[in-house]
Protein backbone atom coordinates (compact mmCIF):
# COMPACT_ATOMS: atom_id res chain seq x y z
CA UNK A 1 0.00 0.00 0.00
CA UNK A 2 1.60 3.27 -1.07
CA UNK A 3 0.33 6.42 0.44
CA UNK A 4 0.16 9.84 -1.16
CA UNK A 5 2.58 11.42 1.26
CA UNK A 6 5.07 8.72 0.35
CA UNK A 7 4.68 9.44 -3.35
CA UNK A 8 5.39 13.11 -2.64
CA UNK A 9 8.46 12.24 -0.60
CA UNK A 10 9.70 9.77 -3.19
CA UNK A 11 9.16 12.33 -5.98
CA UNK A 12 11.27 14.85 -4.13
CA UNK A 13 13.95 12.30 -3.42
CA UNK A 14 14.08 11.31 -7.08
CA UNK A 15 14.38 14.96 -8.15
CA UNK A 16 17.42 15.40 -5.93
CA UNK A 17 19.06 12.24 -7.26
CA UNK A 18 18.58 13.24 -10.91
CA UNK A 19 19.70 16.88 -10.44
CA UNK A 20 22.87 15.94 -8.60
CA UNK A 21 23.83 13.18 -11.03
CA UNK A 22 22.59 14.16 -14.47
CA UNK A 23 24.46 11.30 -16.12
CA UNK A 24 23.01 8.59 -13.88
CA UNK A 25 21.26 5.97 -15.90
CA UNK A 26 17.53 6.00 -16.10
CA UNK A 27 17.49 2.46 -14.74
CA UNK A 28 19.27 3.52 -11.57
CA UNK A 29 16.83 6.36 -11.05
CA UNK A 30 13.87 4.09 -11.51
CA UNK A 31 15.35 1.65 -9.04
CA UNK A 32 15.76 4.40 -6.48
CA UNK A 33 12.22 5.56 -7.10
CA UNK A 34 10.88 2.08 -6.50
CA UNK A 35 12.81 1.84 -3.26
CA UNK A 36 11.45 5.17 -2.17
CA UNK A 37 7.80 4.60 -3.09
CA UNK A 38 7.16 2.68 0.09
CA UNK A 39 8.17 4.87 2.95
CA UNK A 40 8.92 2.64 5.92
CA UNK A 41 5.97 2.58 8.22
CA UNK A 42 6.09 1.92 11.95
CA UNK A 43 4.48 1.29 14.26
CA UNK A 44 1.78 -0.71 12.52
CA UNK A 45 -0.54 -3.47 13.70
CA UNK A 46 -2.74 -5.90 11.77
CA UNK A 47 -5.47 -8.22 13.07
CA UNK A 48 -7.81 -10.75 11.58
CA UNK A 49 -11.54 -10.08 11.25
CA UNK A 50 -13.68 -7.14 12.25
CA UNK A 51 -12.95 -7.38 15.96
CA UNK A 52 -9.42 -6.49 14.91
CA UNK A 53 -10.48 -2.84 14.85
CA UNK A 54 -10.98 -2.70 18.64
CA UNK A 55 -8.07 -5.04 19.26
CA UNK A 56 -5.79 -2.79 17.18
CA UNK A 57 -6.88 0.25 19.21
CA UNK A 58 -6.01 -1.63 22.38
CA UNK A 59 -2.62 -2.66 20.98
CA UNK A 60 -2.00 0.95 19.95
CA UNK A 61 -2.12 1.99 23.61
CA UNK A 62 1.23 0.20 23.81
CA UNK A 63 2.62 0.90 20.31
CA UNK A 64 1.70 4.59 20.40
CA UNK A 65 3.68 5.00 23.63
CA UNK A 66 6.85 3.52 22.15
CA UNK A 67 6.04 0.14 23.72
CA UNK A 68 7.06 -3.24 22.36
CA UNK A 69 5.23 -5.19 19.69
CA UNK A 70 5.21 -8.13 22.11
CA UNK A 71 3.31 -6.22 24.81
CA UNK A 72 1.05 -4.73 22.16
CA UNK A 73 -0.09 -8.02 20.61
CA UNK A 74 -0.73 -9.60 23.98
CA UNK A 75 -2.77 -6.64 25.16
CA UNK A 76 -4.66 -6.39 21.88
CA UNK A 77 -5.84 -9.98 21.68
CA UNK A 78 -6.71 -10.09 25.39
CA UNK A 79 -9.50 -7.62 24.70
CA UNK A 80 -11.16 -10.15 22.42
CA UNK A 81 -10.45 -13.09 24.74
CA UNK A 82 -12.32 -11.32 27.54
CA UNK A 83 -15.39 -10.46 25.46
CA UNK A 84 -18.22 -12.97 26.05
CA UNK A 85 -19.94 -11.79 22.88
CA UNK A 86 -17.09 -13.02 20.72
CA UNK A 87 -18.06 -16.65 20.44
CA UNK A 88 -14.92 -18.01 18.90
CA UNK A 89 -12.19 -16.72 21.20
CA UNK A 90 -11.60 -17.02 24.96
CA UNK A 91 -14.44 -16.42 27.43
CA UNK A 92 -17.78 -17.17 25.73
CA UNK A 93 -16.11 -19.26 23.02
CA UNK A 94 -18.15 -22.16 21.69
CA UNK A 95 -17.39 -25.46 23.41
CA UNK A 96 -16.31 -28.75 21.94
CA UNK A 97 -18.82 -31.55 21.33
CA UNK A 98 -18.63 -32.53 25.01
CA UNK A 99 -19.58 -29.04 26.12
CA UNK A 100 -16.06 -28.08 27.24
CA UNK A 101 -14.48 -24.79 26.24
CA UNK A 102 -10.91 -25.60 25.24
CA UNK A 103 -8.64 -22.79 24.14
CA UNK A 104 -5.56 -22.60 21.89
CA UNK A 105 -3.09 -19.70 21.80
CA UNK A 106 0.48 -18.79 21.01
CA UNK A 107 2.86 -15.85 20.99
CA UNK A 108 6.19 -15.16 19.29
CA UNK A 109 8.62 -12.26 19.63
CA UNK A 110 11.41 -10.66 17.61
CA UNK A 111 14.05 -12.91 19.15
CA UNK A 112 12.19 -16.06 18.08
CA UNK A 113 11.08 -16.69 21.64
CA UNK A 114 7.91 -18.75 21.49
CA UNK A 115 5.22 -19.96 23.85
CA UNK A 116 2.00 -21.81 23.31
CA UNK A 117 -0.88 -23.59 25.00
CA UNK A 118 -3.39 -25.98 23.49
CA UNK A 119 -6.66 -27.43 24.71
CA UNK A 120 -6.50 -25.25 27.82
CA UNK A 121 -9.67 -25.09 29.93
CA UNK A 122 -10.93 -22.61 32.56
CA UNK A 123 -8.46 -19.80 31.87
CA UNK A 124 -9.75 -16.62 30.30
CA UNK A 125 -6.44 -15.45 28.86
CA UNK A 126 -4.65 -18.33 27.15
CA UNK A 127 -2.36 -15.87 25.33
CA UNK A 128 -0.94 -14.74 28.67
CA UNK A 129 -0.41 -18.35 29.72
CA UNK A 130 1.40 -18.86 26.39
CA UNK A 131 3.58 -15.87 27.22
CA UNK A 132 4.29 -17.34 30.65
CA UNK A 133 5.28 -20.64 29.02
CA UNK A 134 7.66 -18.61 26.83
CA UNK A 135 9.14 -16.59 29.67
CA UNK A 136 8.94 -18.87 32.71
CA UNK A 137 9.63 -22.37 31.42
CA UNK A 138 12.32 -24.14 29.39
CA UNK A 139 9.54 -25.41 27.10
CA UNK A 140 7.57 -23.91 24.24
CA UNK A 141 4.21 -25.67 24.47
CA UNK A 142 1.95 -27.01 27.21
CA UNK A 143 -1.34 -28.79 26.60
CA UNK A 144 -4.51 -29.80 28.41
CA UNK A 145 -4.22 -30.57 32.11
CA UNK A 146 -0.53 -29.70 32.17
CA UNK A 147 -1.25 -26.26 30.73
CA UNK A 148 -4.02 -25.73 33.29
CA UNK A 149 -1.81 -26.87 36.15
CA UNK A 150 0.91 -24.44 35.04
CA UNK A 151 -1.58 -21.58 34.65
CA UNK A 152 -2.94 -22.12 38.16
CA UNK A 153 0.59 -22.25 39.57
CA UNK A 154 1.26 -18.94 37.84
CA UNK A 155 -1.74 -17.43 39.61
CA UNK A 156 -4.23 -17.30 36.73
CA UNK A 157 -7.76 -17.60 38.15
CA UNK A 158 -9.83 -20.69 37.35
CA UNK A 159 -13.09 -19.62 35.73
CA UNK A 160 -16.12 -21.06 34.02
CA UNK A 161 -15.78 -19.96 30.39
CA UNK A 162 -19.04 -21.48 29.12
CA UNK A 163 -21.59 -18.66 28.89
CA UNK A 164 -25.33 -19.43 28.87
CA UNK A 165 -25.47 -18.38 25.19
CA UNK A 166 -22.72 -20.77 24.12
CA UNK A 167 -24.20 -23.54 26.25
CA UNK A 168 -27.61 -23.06 24.64
CA UNK A 169 -26.05 -23.21 21.17
CA UNK A 170 -24.19 -26.38 22.07
CA UNK A 171 -27.41 -28.02 23.32
CA UNK A 172 -29.09 -27.07 20.09
CA UNK A 173 -26.17 -28.53 18.15
CA UNK A 174 -26.45 -31.79 20.13
CA UNK A 175 -29.85 -32.44 18.56
CA UNK A 176 -28.23 -33.36 15.25
CA UNK A 177 -24.58 -33.50 16.37
CA UNK A 178 -23.43 -32.63 12.88
CA UNK A 179 -19.91 -31.31 12.62
CA UNK A 180 -20.00 -28.91 9.71
CA UNK A 181 -18.00 -25.72 10.03
CA UNK A 182 -19.45 -22.91 7.94
CA UNK A 183 -17.14 -20.50 6.14
CA UNK A 184 -16.82 -16.99 7.52
CA UNK A 185 -19.52 -17.52 10.11
CA UNK A 186 -19.24 -18.95 13.59
CA UNK A 187 -16.15 -21.00 13.19
CA UNK A 188 -13.63 -18.78 11.57
CA UNK A 189 -12.98 -16.02 13.96
CA UNK A 190 -9.63 -16.62 15.49
CA UNK A 191 -7.83 -13.43 16.32
CA UNK A 192 -4.33 -13.35 14.91
CA UNK A 193 -2.42 -10.12 15.46
CA UNK A 194 0.99 -9.09 14.13
CA UNK A 195 2.76 -5.83 14.89
CA UNK A 196 5.86 -3.82 14.07
CA UNK A 197 6.89 -1.43 16.82
CA UNK A 198 8.69 1.89 16.75
CA UNK A 199 11.99 0.11 17.43
CA UNK A 200 11.58 -1.97 14.28
CA UNK A 201 10.74 -5.20 16.09
CA UNK A 202 8.02 -7.62 15.06
CA UNK A 203 5.87 -9.87 17.27
CA UNK A 204 2.64 -11.80 16.92
CA UNK A 205 -0.09 -13.57 18.87
CA UNK A 206 -2.92 -15.87 17.93
CA UNK A 207 -5.80 -17.06 20.14
CA UNK A 208 -9.00 -19.03 19.59
CA UNK A 209 -11.56 -21.44 20.96
CA UNK A 210 -11.01 -23.34 17.71
CA UNK A 211 -13.65 -24.99 15.61
CA UNK A 212 -17.02 -25.02 17.33
CA UNK A 213 -18.15 -28.47 18.52
CA UNK A 214 -14.83 -30.05 17.60
CA UNK A 215 -13.81 -33.41 19.05
CA UNK A 216 -12.51 -33.08 22.59
CA UNK A 217 -8.74 -32.75 22.37
CA UNK A 218 -8.71 -31.44 18.80
CA UNK A 219 -6.02 -28.82 18.26
CA UNK A 220 -6.00 -26.48 15.29
CA UNK A 221 -3.29 -24.39 13.71
CA UNK A 222 -3.63 -21.40 16.03
CA UNK A 223 -1.30 -22.55 18.85
CA UNK A 224 1.17 -24.17 16.49
CA UNK A 225 4.14 -21.96 15.76
CA UNK A 226 4.77 -22.04 12.03
CA UNK A 227 1.18 -22.96 11.21
CA UNK A 228 -1.04 -20.32 12.85
CA UNK A 229 1.69 -17.77 13.52
CA UNK A 230 5.26 -17.06 12.56
CA UNK A 231 7.62 -14.14 13.08
CA UNK A 232 11.08 -13.63 11.64
CA UNK A 233 12.39 -10.28 12.74
CA UNK A 234 14.66 -10.01 9.70
CA UNK A 235 11.79 -10.56 7.30
CA UNK A 236 8.22 -10.24 8.52
CA UNK A 237 5.33 -11.88 10.34
CA UNK A 238 2.21 -13.77 9.33
CA UNK A 239 -0.82 -15.32 10.98
CA UNK A 240 -3.70 -17.47 9.80
CA UNK A 241 -7.39 -18.02 10.35
CA UNK A 242 -9.84 -20.57 9.00
CA UNK A 243 -9.75 -24.35 8.82
CA UNK A 244 -6.72 -25.17 10.91
CA UNK A 245 -6.21 -28.64 9.46
CA UNK A 246 -5.52 -27.11 6.03
CA UNK A 247 -3.17 -24.49 7.46
CA UNK A 248 -1.17 -27.09 9.40
CA UNK A 249 -0.82 -29.21 6.26
CA UNK A 250 1.30 -26.53 4.55
CA UNK A 251 2.75 -24.96 7.73
CA UNK A 252 0.99 -21.84 6.52
CA UNK A 253 2.32 -18.87 8.50
CA UNK A 254 5.92 -20.04 8.15
CA UNK A 255 5.38 -20.53 4.44
CA UNK A 256 4.16 -16.94 4.08
CA UNK A 257 7.20 -15.59 5.95
CA UNK A 258 9.51 -17.85 3.94
CA UNK A 259 8.06 -16.48 0.70
CA UNK A 260 8.63 -12.94 1.96
CA UNK A 261 12.22 -13.89 2.72
CA UNK A 262 12.56 -14.86 -0.92
CA UNK A 263 11.47 -11.38 -1.93
CA UNK A 264 7.71 -11.66 -2.24
CA UNK A 265 5.52 -8.82 -1.02
CA UNK A 266 3.27 -9.69 1.94
CA UNK A 267 0.29 -9.77 -0.42
CA UNK A 268 1.96 -12.04 -2.98
CA UNK A 269 3.23 -14.33 -0.23
CA UNK A 270 -0.25 -14.72 1.29
CA UNK A 271 -1.69 -15.41 -2.13
CA UNK A 272 0.88 -18.09 -2.94
CA UNK A 273 0.25 -19.85 0.37
CA UNK A 274 -3.50 -19.87 -0.29
CA UNK A 275 -2.87 -21.23 -3.80
CA UNK A 276 -0.87 -24.11 -2.34
CA UNK A 277 -3.65 -24.90 0.14
CA UNK A 278 -6.17 -24.88 -2.70
CA UNK A 279 -3.94 -27.20 -4.74
CA UNK A 280 -3.56 -29.64 -1.83
CA UNK A 281 -7.31 -29.57 -1.25
CA UNK A 282 -7.96 -30.32 -4.91
CA UNK A 283 -5.56 -33.25 -4.83
CA UNK A 284 -7.57 -34.70 -1.98
CA UNK A 285 -10.93 -33.84 -3.54
CA UNK A 286 -11.56 -31.50 -0.64
CA UNK A 287 -14.51 -29.16 -0.59
CA UNK A 288 -13.23 -25.75 -1.70
CA UNK A 289 -16.54 -24.06 -1.18
CA UNK A 290 -16.86 -25.09 2.43
CA UNK A 291 -13.27 -24.38 3.39
CA UNK A 292 -12.00 -20.98 4.36
CA UNK A 293 -8.42 -19.90 4.91
CA UNK A 294 -7.18 -16.37 5.46
CA UNK A 295 -3.64 -15.08 5.95
CA UNK A 296 -2.43 -11.64 6.95
CA UNK A 297 1.22 -10.61 6.71
CA UNK A 298 3.45 -7.70 7.54
CA UNK A 299 7.04 -7.17 6.50
CA UNK A 300 9.93 -5.41 8.16
CA UNK A 301 9.23 -2.20 6.23
CA UNK A 302 5.67 -2.06 7.49
CA UNK A 303 4.06 -3.16 4.21
CA UNK A 304 1.08 -5.43 4.70
CA UNK A 305 -1.00 -7.87 2.72
CA UNK A 306 -3.72 -10.49 3.08
CA UNK A 307 -5.36 -13.21 1.04
CA UNK A 308 -8.17 -15.73 1.47
CA UNK A 309 -9.44 -18.83 -0.26
CA UNK A 310 -13.07 -17.70 -0.34
CA UNK A 311 -14.44 -14.21 -0.21
CA UNK A 312 -15.65 -12.83 3.09
CA UNK A 313 -12.40 -12.54 5.02
CA UNK A 314 -11.56 -9.13 6.39
CA UNK A 315 -8.86 -7.72 8.61
CA UNK A 316 -7.98 -4.51 10.41
CA UNK A 317 -4.88 -2.38 9.84
CA UNK A 318 -3.79 0.42 12.14
CA UNK A 319 -0.95 2.86 11.77
CA UNK A 320 -0.45 6.49 12.79
CA UNK A 321 -2.87 7.57 10.06
CA UNK A 322 -5.87 5.46 11.00
CA UNK A 323 -7.49 2.11 11.69
CA UNK A 324 -9.34 0.52 8.79
CA UNK A 325 -11.17 -2.70 8.08
CA UNK A 326 -10.07 -4.08 4.72
CA UNK A 327 -11.62 -6.84 2.64
CA UNK A 328 -9.04 -9.42 1.67
CA UNK A 329 -8.78 -10.48 -1.94
CA UNK A 330 -9.61 -14.12 -2.48
CA UNK A 331 -8.98 -16.91 -4.98
CA UNK A 332 -12.65 -17.80 -5.15
CA UNK A 333 -15.48 -15.25 -5.43
C1 LIG B 1 -8.77 -23.54 14.13
N1 LIG B 1 -7.90 -21.77 12.79
O1 LIG B 1 -8.92 -23.93 15.28
C2 LIG B 1 -8.75 -22.05 13.89
C3 LIG B 1 -10.15 -21.64 13.73
C4 LIG B 1 -10.27 -20.28 13.24
O2 LIG B 1 -11.33 -18.41 13.07
O3 LIG B 1 -9.47 -19.70 12.56
N2 LIG B 1 -11.27 -19.63 13.55
O4 LIG B 1 -8.68 -24.30 13.17
Amino acid sequence: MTKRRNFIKSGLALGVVVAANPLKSCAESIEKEEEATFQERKPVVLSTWRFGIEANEEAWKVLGESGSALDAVERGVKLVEADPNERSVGYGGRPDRDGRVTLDACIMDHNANIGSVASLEHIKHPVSVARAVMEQTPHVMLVGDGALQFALEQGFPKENLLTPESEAEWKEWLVNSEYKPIVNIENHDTIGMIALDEHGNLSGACTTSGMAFKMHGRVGDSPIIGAGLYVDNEVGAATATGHGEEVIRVVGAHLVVHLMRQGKSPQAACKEAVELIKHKLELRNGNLEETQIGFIALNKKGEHGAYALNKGFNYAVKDAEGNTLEDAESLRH
Side-chain angles (χ1 to χ4, degrees):
M1 195 210 245
T2 305
K3 298 193 171 171
R4 191 179 136 71
R5 72 193 158 107
N6 298 329
F7 267 117
I8 294 168
K9 274 188 192 164
S10 68
L12 288 175
L14 183 64
V16 170
V17 169
V18 173
N21 304 286
L23 299 179
K24 280 253 182 224
S25 75
C26 187
E28 261 182 75
S29 298
I30 288 168
E31 207 174 286
K32 281 200 187 322
E33 185 184 28
E34 276 173 2
E35 271 172 26
T37 46
F38 188 84
Q39 190 71 22
E40 285 200 10
R41 172 172 67 150
K42 61 186 184 192
V44 53
V45 56
L46 251 73
S47 306
T48 54
W49 304 107
R50 53 162 173 70
F51 47 38
I53 289 284
E54 290 84 42
N56 283 356
E57 289 299 335
E58 190 68 13
W60 199 260
K61 291 176 185 164
V62 177
L63 293 173
E65 298 290 319
S66 306
S68 73
L70 179 66
D71 288 341
V73 294
E74 182 189 7
R75 180 161 174 174
V77 302
K78 278 177 76 172
L79 187 81
V80 182
E81 284 182 340
D83 185 348
N85 297 318
E86 295 302 350
R87 313 285 286 285
S88 48
V89 178
Y91 176 51
R94 292 184 181 85
D96 63 19
R97 58 179 54 183
D98 298 339
R100 297 163 74 162
V101 180
T102 63
L103 305 177
D104 295 341
C106 73
I107 194 159
M108 182 163 189
D109 77 5
H110 61 287
N111 286 322
N113 289 309
I114 53 178
S116 137
V117 288
S119 219
L120 173 64
E121 293 181 78
H122 308 302
I123 305 289
K124 195 181 268 175
H125 290 299
V127 72
S128 297
V129 184
R131 184 165 178 178
V133 171
M134 175 171 97
E135 292 177 344
Q136 312 292 338
T137 80
H139 307 305
V140 298
M141 186 169 199
L142 292 175
V143 305
D145 287 349
L148 175 60
Q149 183 186 337
F150 169 71
L152 297 175
E153 281 164 13
Q154 290 288 312
F156 289 89
K158 187 170 182 176
E159 298 176 65
N160 174 23
L161 304 181
L162 186 63
T163 55
E165 291 76 17
S166 283
E167 186 171 9
E169 253 189 69
W170 167 62
K171 289 196 169 142
E172 209 175 293
W173 175 84
L174 280 177
V175 175
N176 293 321
S177 301
E178 198 186 2
Y179 179 65
K180 207 166 181 235
I182 303 166
V183 285
N184 298 327
I185 324 169
E186 298 184 351
N187 295 295
H188 305 277
D189 304 311
T190 294
I191 182 151
M193 177 181 275
I194 47 184
L196 176 67
D197 65 27
E198 195 179 290
H199 317 285
N201 287 324
L202 289 156
S203 287
C206 189
T207 176
T208 188
S209 51
M211 292 297 193
F213 318 128
K214 60 195 176 186
M215 289 175 72
H216 181 63
R218 178 267 186 189
V219 173
D221 59 317
S222 306
I224 299 184
I225 296 291
L229 175 74
Y230 198 71
V231 176
D232 182 330
N233 207 44
E234 293 169 315
V235 179
T239 186
T241 180
H243 287 80
E245 283 75 4
E246 305 311 318
V247 178
I248 292 171
R249 218 180 295 285
V250 301
V251 201
H254 183 269
L255 174 61
V256 172
V257 173
H258 179 69
L259 290 166
M260 290 195 285
R261 179 179 278 283
Q262 292 180 329
K264 292 249 154 55
S265 69
Q267 178 78 11
C270 290
K271 184 175 183 203
E272 195 168 324
V274 171
E275 280 168 348
L276 181 65
I277 288 177
K278 177 171 177 271
H279 174 65
K280 296 293 179 196
L281 263 163
E282 282 166 346
L283 289 179
R284 293 171 19 257
N285 292 321
N287 189 332
L288 291 180
E289 207 173 322
E290 292 182 3
T291 304
Q292 178 61 308
I293 302 295
F295 289 108
I296 58 173
L298 179 65
N299 70 14
K300 197 64 185 163
K301 290 191 280 181
E303 291 173 296
H304 74 270
Y307 215 83
L309 178 59
N310 281 292
K311 76 172 192 311
F313 172 47
N314 51 25
Y315 63 103
V317 186
K318 177 157 177 66
D319 63 12
E321 293 186 357
N323 191 11
T324 52
L325 191 65
E326 301 192 4
D327 288 323
E329 285 180 37
S330 56
L331 276 185
R332 293 166 43 86
H333 300 284

